[in-house]
Amino acid sequence: MTAPPPIAMLAELTHRCPLSCPYCSNPVELARLDQELDTETWARVFREAADLGVLQLHLSGGEPASRRDLTHLVRAARDAGLYTNLITSGIGLSQQRLAELDEAGLDHVQLSLQGTNPEMADEIGGYKGGFKRKMQVAEWIGAIGFPLTLNVVLHRRNLHQLPRALEMAVEMGARRIEVATVQFHGWALQNRDALMPTREQAKEAMATVAQARKDLKGTLVVDFVPADYHDDFPKRCMGGWGTSGLNVAPDGEVLPCHAAQSIPHMTFDNVREKPLKDIWYKSSSFNAYRGTEWMQEPCQSCDRKTVDFGGCRCQAMAIVGDASATDPVCIKSPHHAALQAQADAHSAKVDAPLTYRVGPVKAREPVT
Amino acid sequence: MLATEVPAIPRGVRLHFDRVRDAWVLLAPERAVTLDPIGHAILSEVDGRRSFGEIIKELAAKYNAPADQIQADSGGFLDALCNRRFLDVVT
């Protein structure tokens, strides 16, 4: 099949991060020494992305502010013609640095919220004083006038704070809030006992979001990712594999989604060796699950096969052990009932401790 | 959108020519909206000073098209942009 050009690119500038959230989407094998791409290589990748058709660039990590050359990278992205979005915890951003980012042309900031008070936020982020600092950074963002999206990951421990998170978004002047119930990839997969929402909580989040969308229409846009394991239909992951977005990891590996490295037989091309265009259109990883030909039953004969594309490949891998299988969230999957029972069991582990993300202690930023 | 209302494109939203797809798009926080010729023509006129009604009048003259037709075609589109916070109404 012929793939359309990608619209969005997630640039994971670094895996380094001062926080250690137990649901971090970075790979669990962070101990491996990242050879982060240098400034010039990223700038080239941004130009290649724009030539390929990417419109939206998300600068993420880890914590992208951990890169000392962040301002240069933002300028390079804008010079390439990309809409440039910074996804940050706020830690590492000073008033001076935000002014520099403004000057460099940063279009938008997405600020993550781990909780709505210091007790919750600092415990989940594993970083004392983080909440206070974040509130200060939010003020600076507002003073400069950056368009702001607040993002909050919901799980069993903090889901009751959703109403307050919505209020905070309005108070901060955010135009949008992204409310994502935790998805179980990366570190979150190891924390299912501690983080799995109960079925009632999953419903509660849906109802709160539905009400907020009515009440805040025209003021705050509420984007919502519902709880996964409790659902009956899988998510249209990445809008379909290799159809709209791509990720570049800190070391230059290009991934169809941020969790793709959890599929063991898959190999990935690197921007150090190949042009982005060749990787997007020709690589085995991007072509692996494009279209519908790779699908098994019950997906192959299902009328939803071009609606959700069989769900998430990484989840099929993690739960069923086969990346081509139907996402077990689907009610038609033979593993659906077991997954739902598993979800209930995880959510009943009331006292389960958090396993914090461990950072790539040896990762280095290249000297340029 | 009422003819008396003044639309304005807020910070962080901009028109962009997508050279790869050969089309105008509206770039906004984490979204890209493909524009049809009418959408592009209207947003190109939005300057935060003139009302929707004035913009329609100008476009009607420029393209020799009936004003009420343009209003009908574009009012809902602009309302949808407002609801997505991609467009402000200044008072």
Side-chain angles (χ1 to χ4, degrees):
Chain A
M1 68 168 285
T2 316
I7 289 166
M9 182 166 91
L10 184 77
E12 294 178 334
L13 299 178
T14 179
H15 280 142
R16 291 173 289 134
C17 184
L19 269 57
S20 42
C21 305
Y23 47 72
C24 182
S25 63
N26 286 168
V28 176
E29 309 76 35
L30 279 175
R32 80 177 197 283
L33 192 147
D34 269 332
Q35 293 287 340
E36 293 181 9
L37 297 179
D38 63 18
T39 317
E40 271 321 299
T41 308
W42 274 119
R44 169 176 62 80
V45 173
F46 297 161
R47 290 191 295 272
E48 289 182 6
D51 289 342
L52 181 56
V54 168
L55 298 171
Q56 294 273 345
L57 174 69
H58 308 297
L59 299 174
S60 179
E63 172 51 61
S66 298
R67 288 279 301 214
R68 278 168 300 177
D69 59 355
L70 181 63
T71 303
H72 296 281
L73 294 172
V74 166
R75 189 169 287 120
R78 282 305 308 267
D79 287 347
L82 297 169
Y83 190 97
T84 307
N85 172 30
L86 180 67
I87 302 178
T88 179
S89 68
I91 309 302
L93 291 174
S94 62
Q95 198 168 11
Q96 167 71 24
R97 216 164 171 214
L98 282 163
E100 288 166 10
L101 291 170
D102 182 24
E103 205 271 322
L106 181 65
D107 284 296
H108 173 251
V109 178
Q110 185 184 124
L111 188 67
S112 64
L113 195 67
Q114 286 73 33
T116 57
N117 55 15
E119 293 73 25
M120 179 68 74
D122 293 359
E123 196 204 348
I124 298 300
Y127 187 80
K128 210 169 160 43
F131 181 78
K132 194 173 169 216
R133 178 71 184 178
K134 190 191 299 287
M135 292 305 106
Q136 174 65 76
V137 171
E139 244 183 81
W140 291 332
I141 290 168
I144 289 175
F146 283 122
L148 174 68
T149 290
L150 202 59
N151 89 56
V152 52
V153 175
L154 296 180
H155 44 78
R156 194 169 75 242
R157 293 197 181 205
N158 73 354
L159 198 138
H160 62 283
Q161 295 190 332
L162 174 58
R164 177 65 194 133
L166 290 158
E167 284 173 8
M168 285 173 71
V170 174
E171 288 164 14
M172 286 178 188
R175 295 182 201 166
R176 178 170 164 262
I177 186 169
E178 210 174 277
V179 177
T181 315
V182 62
Q183 304 293 299
F184 295 101
H185 304 289
W187 290 88
L189 193 62
Q190 322 229 332
N191 274 298
R192 286 180 294 182
D193 282 345
L195 300 179
M196 183 71 67
T198 63
R199 197 168 289 273
E200 292 69 34
Q201 282 182 311
K203 281 186 193 146
E204 179 190 323
M206 290 232 215
T208 305
V209 165
Q211 189 61 44
R213 281 177 173 161
K214 273 188 211 156
D215 296 346
L216 300 172
K217 191 174 176 186
T219 302
L220 184 73
V221 176
V222 184
D223 285 335
F224 179 53
V225 180
D228 205 9
Y229 284 26
H230 295 303
D231 228 331
D232 282 341
F233 291 105
K235 297 199 169 58
R236 181 186 166 91
C237 201
M238 297 296 291
W241 186 275
T243 59
S244 63
L246 70 166
N247 279 29
V248 182
D251 64 356
E253 280 200 352
V254 187
L255 316 174
C257 85
H258 60 71
Q261 285 162 322
S262 66
I263 300 176
H265 63 260
M266 194 158 272
T267 57
F268 304 97
D269 290 313
N270 196 300
V271 293
R272 294 179 211 256
E273 283 135 31
K274 285 185 184 169
L276 206 56
K277 187 174 187 172
D278 285 0
I279 299 175
W280 175 258
Y281 287 109
K282 296 180 190 165
S283 70
S284 60
S285 58
F286 277 86
N287 282 316
Y289 303 112
R290 275 188 172 130
T292 57
E293 276 171 34
W294 55 271
M295 287 178 183
Q296 307 172 355
E297 289 297 346
C299 290
Q300 197 51 261
S301 59
C302 179
D303 57 7
R304 287 178 58 89
K305 74 176 172 182
T306 55
V307 175
D308 56 33
F309 294 101
C312 173
R313 300 301 89 229
C314 303
Q315 188 141 281
M317 184 70 230
I319 308 287
V320 184
D322 177 358
S324 302
T326 301
D327 186 332
V329 166
C330 183
I331 197 160
K332 293 185 179 179
S333 162
H335 305 278
H336 175 76
L339 187 74
Q340 297 239 310
Q342 203 183 337
D344 289 336
H346 286 305
S347 69
K349 298 273 175 61
V350 181
D351 299 321
L354 297 170
T355 302
Y356 287 100
R357 176 197 124 130
V358 183
V361 277
K362 286 179 178 168
R364 284 183 311 221
E365 179 166 345
V367 181
T368 43
Chain B
M1 179 164 295
L2 302 172
T4 51
E5 288 179 314
V6 177
I9 295 177
R11 177 171 175 168
V13 180
R14 54 191 157 89
L15 288 167
H16 175 82
F17 184 71
D18 180 347
R19 58 191 158 87
V20 173
R21 298 170 188 83
D22 196 27
W24 281 94
V25 291
L26 189 67
L27 293 182
E30 308 189 37
R31 292 287 183 278
V33 181
T34 306
L35 299 173
D36 62 17
I38 297 174
H40 176 242
I42 289 179
L43 289 174
S44 300
E45 298 291 333
V46 169
D47 57 8
R49 289 185 294 108
R50 285 176 299 162
S51 69
F52 180 44
E54 289 172 283
I55 290 171
I56 288 168
K57 241 183 249 171
E58 188 146 327
L59 289 174
K62 196 167 166 182
Y63 293 100
N64 197 21
D68 51 354
Q69 183 69 50
I70 297 178
Q71 180 161 7
D73 285 352
S74 57
F77 168 66
L78 294 188
D79 288 338
L81 292 181
C82 286
N83 286 336
R84 293 296 296 171
R85 296 293 326 265
F86 298 166
L87 194 67
D88 285 346
V89 171
V90 293
T91 43

